[in-house]
Amino acid sequence: MYTNYWISNGFIYGPEYSGRFWIENGFIYGPKNSGKFWIQDNFIYGPKDSGKFWISEGHIYGPKVNVPWID
């Protein structure tokens, strides 16, 4: 399922907090859960829904619409 979030130039865009999250050294930083999620082999890992979200062609996919670092 496409989550309505995408990555461009190291920033994450979507319906909530658009452009306020960024990727640095494989970790996701921003106003919520900063640095608790990371990207490895195009999968997103962290304390919630670890490995259930993935990145393909700049878009984020997963089992639900909202990405776990915002929930």
Side-chain angles (χ1 to χ4, degrees):
M1 170 187 295
Y2 175 55
T3 63
N4 292 326
Y5 288 86
W6 68 94
I7 299 169
S8 179
N9 296 322
F11 287 89
I12 300 172
Y13 298 94
E16 292 186 61
Y17 298 100
S18 193
R20 293 183 59 203
F21 283 91
W22 68 93
I23 300 167
E24 187 176 318
N25 296 321
F27 284 86
I28 299 171
Y29 295 98
K32 296 178 90 175
N33 294 305
S34 192
K36 294 183 180 179
F37 289 85
W38 66 93
I39 300 168
Q40 183 177 347
D41 298 326
N42 288 326
F43 282 89
I44 300 170
Y45 297 95
K48 296 187 286 185
D49 296 321
S50 193
K52 294 182 180 178
F53 286 83
W54 67 95
I55 300 165
S56 178
E57 298 180 3
H59 294 281
I60 300 173
Y61 296 86
K64 54 187 179 178
V65 175
N66 256 349
V67 288
W69 54 88
I70 291 177
D71 284 345

